Amino acid sequence: DAGVIQSPRHEVTEMGQEVTLRCKPISGHDYLFWYRQTMMRGLELLIYFNNNVPIDDSGMPEDRFSAKMPNASFSTLKIQPSEPRDSAVYFCASRRGRGGEKLFFGSGTQLSVL
Amino acid sequence: EDQVTQSPEALRLQEGESSSLNCSYTVSGLRGLFWYRQDPGKGPEFLFTLYSAGEEKEKERLKATLTKKESFLHITAPKPEDSATYLCAVQALATGTASKLTFGTGTRLQVTL
């Protein structure tokens, strides 16, 4: 199994630009999560999907952030326009079923907004 | 609001020097408490789930325990390969967002020869 695949691994952009982060979950997993990690706040849940449907987006910081899951094997997190305070590592994670354990994380996207 | 506090922020041990990491939590009702390990440049990797006070889980040199207010991750005779950040997370019983995990900021462990 290839695991959760995220791209790009690193993204450097200028303030005001659009940023799109991509995620391919593990095949057969019906839950997908987007987290953001910073030194100060740790891992914060932004949004999660169940069977491609957004269930809870209360962690999305503001309207500049949007996420989609057009099918079971692909999700995107978009920031438009980006700001320096968005700089963080963004993780995608997936799992099977309603249970909370054994979230499988991708390697993350390191985002730097200059 | 669910809260997780981990201490210490960083810990440096010599190989073979046992110690414990702490995770204090506040949650309306605990469904489960989780421990993850994170290596630099990688995503967190699942270690344990604990569901009720008094429960213990072990894996190699690691043992996790749970009380009604906190969890400990005991590391016995650590080796350099145990160096990582250890994350604690809680999942609440209540609400329709039962899948949500709330993470602490982690303990960075360094084990030296």
Side-chain angles (χ1 to χ4, degrees):
Chain A
D1 198 327
V4 176
I5 299 172
Q6 291 187 246
S7 64
R9 286 283 280 134
H10 302 275
E11 177 79 36
V12 180
T13 191
E14 293 188 347
M15 183 173 62
Q17 295 298 307
E18 178 180 294
V19 175
T20 300
L21 311 181
R22 297 172 176 79
C23 175
K24 176 180 170 55
I26 293 173
S27 177
H29 283 191
D30 52 352
Y31 281 81
L32 183 140
F33 301 78
W34 283 100
Y35 280 88
R36 177 172 67 177
Q37 187 175 41
T38 60
M39 288 292 291
M40 289 298 297
R41 300 175 66 90
L43 269 168
E44 299 174 285
L45 178 65
L46 300 176
I47 185 171
Y48 78 90
F49 296 82
N50 178 218
N51 291 323
N52 312 338
V53 176
I55 303 300
D56 182 0
D57 65 354
S58 60
M60 296 286 260
E62 48 199 273
D63 292 345
R64 297 185 297 107
F65 285 68
S66 63
K68 294 182 180 180
M69 192 164 186
N71 57 61
S73 59
F74 184 66
S75 177
T76 60
L77 178 68
K78 186 175 294 187
I79 308 172
Q80 167 62 21
S82 58
E83 297 182 4
R85 60 192 168 122
D86 302 330
S87 298
V89 181
Y90 291 81
F91 286 102
C92 177
S94 71
R95 65 166 169 75
R96 191 192 314 268
R98 288 194 81 241
E101 61 183 281
K102 286 199 174 180
L103 264 182
F104 292 83
F105 283 82
S107 294
T109 294
Q110 174 76 60
L111 175 63
S112 297
V113 183
L114 307 177
Chain B
E1 184 177 331
D2 304 336
Q3 288 191 332
V4 178
T5 303
Q6 293 188 245
S7 63
E9 286 187 11
L11 181 62
R12 185 174 175 138
L13 300 173
Q14 287 195 323
E15 185 175 14
E17 180 185 2
S18 301
S19 188
S20 297
L21 313 182
N22 177 263
C23 171
S24 299
Y25 64 90
T26 303
V27 65
S28 52
L30 183 70
R31 175 186 288 262
L33 184 141
F34 305 85
W35 283 98
Y36 283 80
R37 170 189 169 129
Q38 186 175 20
D39 293 300
K42 296 188 177 181
E45 182 180 346
F46 172 81
L47 290 174
F48 303 111
T49 310
L50 301 166
Y51 293 104
S52 57
E55 188 175 0
E56 298 182 353
K57 292 268 180 81
E58 285 190 66
K59 180 180 180 179
E60 296 180 354
R61 295 176 292 282
L62 301 177
K63 183 169 81 173
T65 62
L66 181 65
T67 72
K68 289 186 177 180
K69 293 185 178 181
E70 58 192 349
S71 177
F72 292 93
L73 185 65
H74 307 278
I75 304 176
T76 302
K79 298 182 178 182
E81 53 262 42
D82 295 322
S83 298
T85 296
Y86 291 86
L87 299 169
C88 173
V90 296
Q91 184 184 34
L93 274 172
T95 79
T97 58
S99 294
K100 179 178 179 178
L101 295 186
T102 300
F103 282 85
T105 52
T107 294
R108 292 188 310 279
L109 174 66
Q110 183 181 14
V111 182
T112 59
L113 293 171

